[in-house]
């Protein structure tokens, strides 16, 4: 190959991929605009001329007959188009936000959310983070909007103004770790290992910009060994984020220990140009007044939030009573056919 051919080829491939992406986005935007206009036409005819819902059945039949190779003109989809236009009467929002989202995500917004402001919040978040339809459904189900920025922190006192607002919006309360089924008496290290095993789901719950560095991050201070449960780096904040997992309720001494970890991280692991490290204490429960008192005189930026798990104790009482106890099961009895394990 001629000299420089490899980099030149790589550059051409990147240009082709970028062009394909721009083409796909342009096609999607045009299609969403078409769907909105069709929905607006149906709305106008029904409101102005008193056409009933049966016109949608006839329209679906006629459009599919005319455009046999084009999908999307079923009765159900036409009704979604009508709902799409009704939900977003302002064409500027369609052009700026929802018109740039795939149709599946728009259907999710229409069917799962009724409040216009809430629907717009999730639409903008989907556009910003590039959520797929299943991810968007999960964020709606776990009520991300209500949890975002709700952790108790001292960021307003411990961070510069330009960083404190962003940091506050990045932390949630509670964190939803219900992508794992765990026993109610789980130990802290077991929870940590389970989260690391599902690191992709963990990063999704932590939010955009979090990069996982590792668990049980080693620190040596005064000839003694200390370990941070989970360590992240946040790209926008440009800082390390230490996470301490607590199985029980928040205790004031947890803040002191995290303050110690952050001082050591800033001394030993903080790179030139990085901002001061941030601590996040995640516990099963916390008392707001106790947390606020504990953080009042702490100079390092620390946040405290609860987390929720999918555990056996969450079963409805009636269902729990219907399940056999360990005493009910004969020795050696198995609940699965021989040779079949939990992953089958």
């Amino acid at each position: 190959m001629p000299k420089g051919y490899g980099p030149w080829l790589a550059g051409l491939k990147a240009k082709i991929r970028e062009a394909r992406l721009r083409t796909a986005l342009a096609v999607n935007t045009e299609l969403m605009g078409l769907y909105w206009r069709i929905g607006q036409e149906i709305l106008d005819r029904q409101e102005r001329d008193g056409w009933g819902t049966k016109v949608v059945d006839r329209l679906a039949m006629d459009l599919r007959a005319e455009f046999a190779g084009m999908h999307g003109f079923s009765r159900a989809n036409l009704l979604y188009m009508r709902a799409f236009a009704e939900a977003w009467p302002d064409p500027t929002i369609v052009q700026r936000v929802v018109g740039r989202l795939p149709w599946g995500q728009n259907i999710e917004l229409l069917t799962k959310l009724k409040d216009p402001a809430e629907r717009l919040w999730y639409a903008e978040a989907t556009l910003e983070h590039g959520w797929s339809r299943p991810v968007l459904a999960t964020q709606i189900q776990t009520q991300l909007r209500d949890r975002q920025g709700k952790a108790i922190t001292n960021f307003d006192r411990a961070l510069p103004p330009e960083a404190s607002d962003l940091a506050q919006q990045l932390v949630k309360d509670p964190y939803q770790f219900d992508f794992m089924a765990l026993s109610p008496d789980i130990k802290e290290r077991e929870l940590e290992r389970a989260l690391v095993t599902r690191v992709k789901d963990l990063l999704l719950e932590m939010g955009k910009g979090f990069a996982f560095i590792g668990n049980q991050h080693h620190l040596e201070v005064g000839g003694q060994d200390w370990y941070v449960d989970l360590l992240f780096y946040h790209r926008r904040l440009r800082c390390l984020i230490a996470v301490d997992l607590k199985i029980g309720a928040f205790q004031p001494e947890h803040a002191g220990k995290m303050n110690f970890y952050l001082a050591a991280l800033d001394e030993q692991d903080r790179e030139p140009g990085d901002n001061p490290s941030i601590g996040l204490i995640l516990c099963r429960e916390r008392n707001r007044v106790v947390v606020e008192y504990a953080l009042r005189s702490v100079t390092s930026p620390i946040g405290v939030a609860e987390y929720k798990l999918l555990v056996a104790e969450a079963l409805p009482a009636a269902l729990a009573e219907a399940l056999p106890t360990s005493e009910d099961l004969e020795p050696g009895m198995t609940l699965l056919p021989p040779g079949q394990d939990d992953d089958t």
Side-chain angles (χ1 to χ4, degrees):
M1 290 295 100
K3 183 179 180 180
Y5 177 81
W8 176 67
L9 176 61
L12 288 179
K13 289 179 178 178
K15 288 182 174 64
I16 292 170
R17 293 190 183 98
E18 291 171 3
R20 290 176 62 184
L21 178 60
R22 287 195 301 269
T23 300
L25 291 174
V27 170
N28 179 79
T29 301
E30 186 61 34
L31 184 62
M32 293 305 99
L34 172 64
Y35 283 0
W36 185 83
R37 290 190 294 273
I38 292 175
Q40 196 65 54
E41 289 275 354
I42 295 173
L43 274 176
D44 289 343
R45 291 292 182 176
Q46 289 182 333
E47 293 176 0
R48 185 184 62 200
D49 301 331
W51 289 5
T53 55
K54 288 187 177 180
V55 71
V56 177
D57 298 338
R58 176 60 185 268
L59 182 61
M61 182 178 65
D62 290 339
L63 290 179
R64 281 186 292 183
E66 179 66 24
F67 303 100
M70 187 174 179
H71 300 289
F73 294 131
S74 65
R75 177 183 183 277
N77 220 36
L78 289 173
L79 289 175
Y80 279 134
M81 294 179 202
R82 182 189 184 281
F84 185 51
E86 189 173 33
W88 309 107
D90 185 352
T92 60
I93 293 181
V94 177
Q95 296 169 5
R96 181 175 58 85
V97 184
V98 293
R100 299 166 62 189
L101 297 177
W103 188 229
Q105 279 84 326
N106 273 304
I107 291 177
E108 203 69 31
L109 294 169
L110 293 172
T111 56
K112 299 294 177 60
L113 299 166
K114 302 302 180 186
D115 180 67
E118 188 176 18
R119 190 187 291 126
L120 179 59
W121 188 93
Y122 281 100
E124 292 175 334
T126 302
L127 186 62
E128 178 185 357
H129 301 295
W131 291 336
S132 65
R133 185 173 182 176
V135 171
L136 171 59
T138 299
Q139 303 292 25
I140 294 173
Q141 182 181 3
T142 60
Q143 300 178 319
L144 175 63
R145 181 172 180 252
D146 296 333
R147 299 186 289 122
Q148 197 82 41
K150 296 300 191 297
I152 308 171
T153 74
N154 64 349
F155 293 165
D156 59 337
R157 301 189 306 273
L159 290 173
E162 61 272 14
S164 63
D165 290 343
L166 174 59
Q168 184 66 48
Q169 286 305 309
L170 291 173
V171 291
K172 309 167 185 175
D173 189 22
Y175 281 80
Q176 294 287 358
F177 295 152
D178 54 2
F179 47 81
M180 306 177 299
L182 302 171
S183 63
D185 56 349
I186 188 173
K187 304 295 189 295
E188 288 175 3
R189 289 297 299 277
E190 293 172 340
L191 172 61
E192 174 196 317
R193 285 194 291 267
L195 289 172
V196 172
T197 301
R198 299 289 296 273
V199 66
K200 182 178 179 180
D201 296 304
L202 172 61
L203 286 171
L204 178 61
E205 176 60 14
M206 295 303 293
K208 185 179 180 180
F210 280 85
F212 181 62
I213 294 178
N215 64 308
Q216 289 301 298
H217 181 77
H218 177 247
L219 296 169
E220 183 179 345
V221 179
Q224 299 182 34
D225 296 319
W226 307 87
Y227 298 90
V228 178
D229 289 343
L230 301 171
L231 187 63
F232 298 86
Y233 185 84
H234 198 277
R235 293 179 298 165
R236 290 185 65 188
L237 287 171
R238 296 185 61 82
C239 72
L240 294 167
I241 297 183
V243 175
D244 203 11
L245 299 170
K246 300 299 179 185
I247 290 300
F250 172 82
Q251 300 298 327
E253 55 264 29
H254 297 162
K257 188 176 182 181
M258 177 58 76
N259 192 53
F260 171 81
Y261 284 158
L262 296 178
L265 283 170
D266 283 343
E267 177 68 25
Q268 300 178 21
D269 293 273
R270 181 179 170 188
E271 296 289 342
D274 283 352
N275 293 313
S277 303
I278 292 176
L280 182 58
I281 302 170
L282 300 183
C283 42
R284 289 292 290 272
E285 57 183 281
R286 51 101 185 118
N287 181 295
R288 173 174 286 275
V289 176
V290 172
V291 174
E292 289 175 347
Y293 269 71
L295 297 182
R296 182 169 295 181
S297 59
V298 175
T299 56
S300 297
I302 296 175
V304 178
E306 293 180 337
Y307 62 85
K308 302 296 182 184
L309 293 172
L310 180 63
V311 295
E313 63 187 8
L315 289 172
L319 180 57
E321 291 175 1
L323 293 175
T325 65
S326 57
E327 290 78 11
D328 295 330
L329 297 175
E330 297 178 5
M333 179 181 291
T334 177
L335 296 179
L336 294 173
Q340 182 174 340
D341 56 31
D342 294 335
D343 296 327
T344 304

